């Protein structure tokens, strides 16, 4: 479209978006739960004052099929002032990610709440506000976190956009004081649409988790390439591949090798967008794969997963 027409259309979309009011999302699916990791070995060698002794790790290896339900309830309302010259709206959101298994120890619930301000300009959308989440595993509270999060997206009229996120969180774990601490996350990326029927993008993610537990005190960097393509027959394909490195800052002095990890893998999601059930639900299939290589063989593994379900489209 000519640039003046494009600008007008984008302006109308921004107005609709800012005045959205209440909306909700819901996804229901079957997924594999339990320990999906196939470790290279269960034997590890530890160093006791120069004496190397082998040990066998007693890992839980059972798995089963569970039900996963994810969703969100969102509310937006325009406010009567501008932020840095941009129109603003207040927002509130409640999210949940529930995995229910036949074996209760595999139950995994995550609940979150978020409030804040969202600004909408001619080319840039941004949001800022606190986020509170709580995770329960096997029916017991595993982690609570309170964070401040800022995100933005800057778009061009030619279909490209730069996006980013910055988050800082305080962690509290009722199961162990060693898991109390802080986490900082940052992401920057670029995506570009093609012909209105697909897009391709790339992002860089950084995580700094600082706790006293040696296996959870790490720095992680990830590079992801992702895409979307609308195919024939009402299918939408969403592939992504990634490579990441995790560096442990305070590895145990008992380790006889370097526990740092390098991982690579991908996800592939297929959506069938011309078939609907009930109130606007359509089917999807998600498969995942990850290969992790550590300097300690007992920490190297291959992990696969899947989810088959229905997601609300409108």
């Amino acid at each position: 479209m000519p640039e003046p027409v494009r600008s007008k259309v984008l302006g109308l979309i921004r107005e609709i978006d800012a005045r959205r009011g209440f909306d909700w999302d819901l996804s229901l699916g079957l997924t594999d739960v339990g320990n999906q990791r196939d470790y290279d070995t269960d034997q590890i060698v530890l160093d006791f004052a120069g004496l190397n002794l082998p040990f066998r790790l007693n890992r839980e290896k059972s798995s089963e099929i569970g039900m996963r339900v994810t969703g969100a309830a969102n509310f937006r309302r325009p406010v009567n002032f501008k932020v840095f010259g941009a129109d603003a709206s207040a927002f509130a959101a409640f999210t949940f990610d529930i995995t229910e298994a036949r074996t209760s120890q595999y139950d995994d619930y995550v609940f979150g709440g978020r409030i804040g301000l969202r600004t909408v300009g001619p080319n840039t959308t941004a949001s800022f506000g606190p986020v509170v989440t709580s995770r329960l595993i096997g029916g017991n509270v595993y982690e609570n976190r309170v964070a401040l999060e800022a995100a933005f997206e800057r778009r061009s009229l030619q279909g490209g956009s730069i996006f980013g996120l910055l988050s800082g969180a305080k962690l509290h774990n009722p199961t162990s004081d060693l898991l109390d601490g802080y986490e900082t996350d940052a992401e920057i990326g670029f995506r570009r649409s093609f012909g209105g029927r697909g897009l391709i993008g790339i992002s860089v993610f950084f995580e700094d988790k600082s706790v006293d537990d040696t296996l959870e005190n790490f720095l992680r960097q990830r590079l992801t390439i992702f895409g979307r393509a609308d195919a024939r027959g009402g299918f939408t394909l969403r592939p992504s591949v990634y490579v990441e490195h995790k560096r442990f800052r305070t590895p145990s002095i008992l380790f006889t090798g370097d526990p740092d990890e390098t991982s690579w893998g991908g996800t592939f999601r297929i959506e069938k967008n011309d078939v609907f059930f009930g109130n606007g639900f359509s089917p999807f299939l998600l498969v995942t794969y990850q290969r992790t290589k550590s300097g300690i063989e007992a920490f190297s593994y291959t992990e696969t997963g899947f989810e088959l379900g229905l997601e609300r489209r409108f």
Side-chain angles (χ1 to χ4, degrees):
M1 291 184 291
E3 185 169 329
V5 179
R6 256 197 313 246
S7 298
K8 183 66 174 178
V9 171
L10 290 176
L12 291 173
I13 292 174
R14 288 195 302 272
E15 287 294 323
I16 295 171
D17 187 51
R19 300 176 182 276
R20 223 167 176 183
F22 176 78
D23 66 82
W24 57 279
D25 301 303
L26 184 63
S27 171
L28 308 95
L30 297 176
T31 186
D32 42 3
V33 297
N35 186 0
Q36 307 303 319
R37 295 180 176 180
D38 181 14
Y39 285 91
D40 291 2
T41 179
D42 290 330
Q43 182 171 291
I44 186 171
V45 178
L46 301 179
D47 181 357
F48 291 90
L51 179 63
N52 292 345
L53 298 176
F55 292 86
R56 180 164 291 275
L57 299 173
N58 184 22
R59 290 175 166 134
E60 176 62 50
K61 295 185 177 181
S62 61
S63 63
E64 58 189 62
I65 302 299
M67 173 71 73
R68 186 182 182 198
V69 182
T70 64
N74 308 290
F75 182 79
R76 295 178 192 163
R77 185 186 183 111
V79 295
N80 296 323
F81 57 85
K82 292 182 179 291
V83 178
F84 300 115
D87 295 332
S89 59
F91 69 85
F94 170 74
T95 62
F96 58 89
D97 186 337
I98 298 173
T99 300
E100 182 75 23
R102 181 176 54 83
T103 305
S104 60
Q105 67 175 341
Y106 296 145
D107 292 347
D108 192 346
Y109 304 163
V110 180
F111 300 99
R114 185 179 179 217
I115 60 174
L117 281 177
R118 188 169 183 268
T119 63
V120 181
N123 301 99
T124 304
T125 301
S127 64
F128 176 82
V131 182
V132 178
T133 60
S134 182
R135 183 180 184 186
L136 294 80
I137 297 179
N140 300 311
V141 178
Y142 175 75
E143 181 184 81
N144 297 312
R145 62 172 59 202
V146 178
L148 280 176
E149 182 179 288
F152 80 94
E153 180 180 10
R154 183 169 180 82
R155 302 168 297 277
S156 73
L157 295 178
Q158 288 72 41
S161 70
I162 299 174
F163 60 91
L165 177 143
L166 181 64
S167 173
K170 175 71 171 67
L171 311 178
H172 172 63
N173 193 306
T175 66
S176 173
D177 292 341
L178 296 177
L179 293 170
D180 292 346
Y182 299 90
E183 181 177 313
T184 301
D185 298 331
E187 183 178 22
I188 187 74
F190 174 81
R191 55 181 163 235
R192 171 69 187 268
S193 63
F194 293 94
R197 298 186 61 84
L199 67 81
I200 188 169
I202 185 170
S203 70
V204 178
F205 175 78
F206 172 82
E207 178 184 3
D208 179 355
K209 189 173 183 179
S210 179
V211 297
D212 290 333
D213 189 306
T214 58
L215 293 178
E216 293 293 325
N217 187 30
F218 59 78
L219 297 170
R220 181 161 65 104
Q221 302 91 34
R222 172 184 285 201
L223 174 69
T224 304
I225 299 174
F226 59 91
R228 191 201 77 229
D230 295 329
R232 294 177 181 272
F235 290 99
T236 296
L237 312 179
R238 298 181 184 270
S240 72
V241 293
Y242 63 86
V243 59
E244 73 172 40
H245 180 71
K246 181 187 289 187
R247 180 173 68 84
F248 296 91
R249 282 184 296 216
T250 55
S252 173
I253 60 174
L254 298 178
F255 290 155
T256 56
D258 182 359
D260 289 356
E261 299 173 353
T262 298
S263 301
W264 58 92
T267 66
F268 188 69
R269 180 183 170 105
I270 306 175
E271 302 168 354
K272 180 67 169 170
N273 294 318
D274 60 353
V275 173
F276 296 99
F277 302 94
N279 186 22
F281 287 84
S282 60
F284 71 90
L285 170 65
L286 173 70
V287 292
T288 64
Y289 172 86
Q290 177 173 306
R291 172 61 181 166
T292 295
K293 188 66 176 175
S294 171
I296 298 176
E297 193 175 9
F299 296 154
S300 297
Y301 61 88
T302 300
E303 184 173 13
T304 59
F306 83 93
E307 184 176 354
L308 175 65
L310 300 172
E311 183 175 65
R312 182 175 181 262
R313 300 288 180 216
F314 59 86

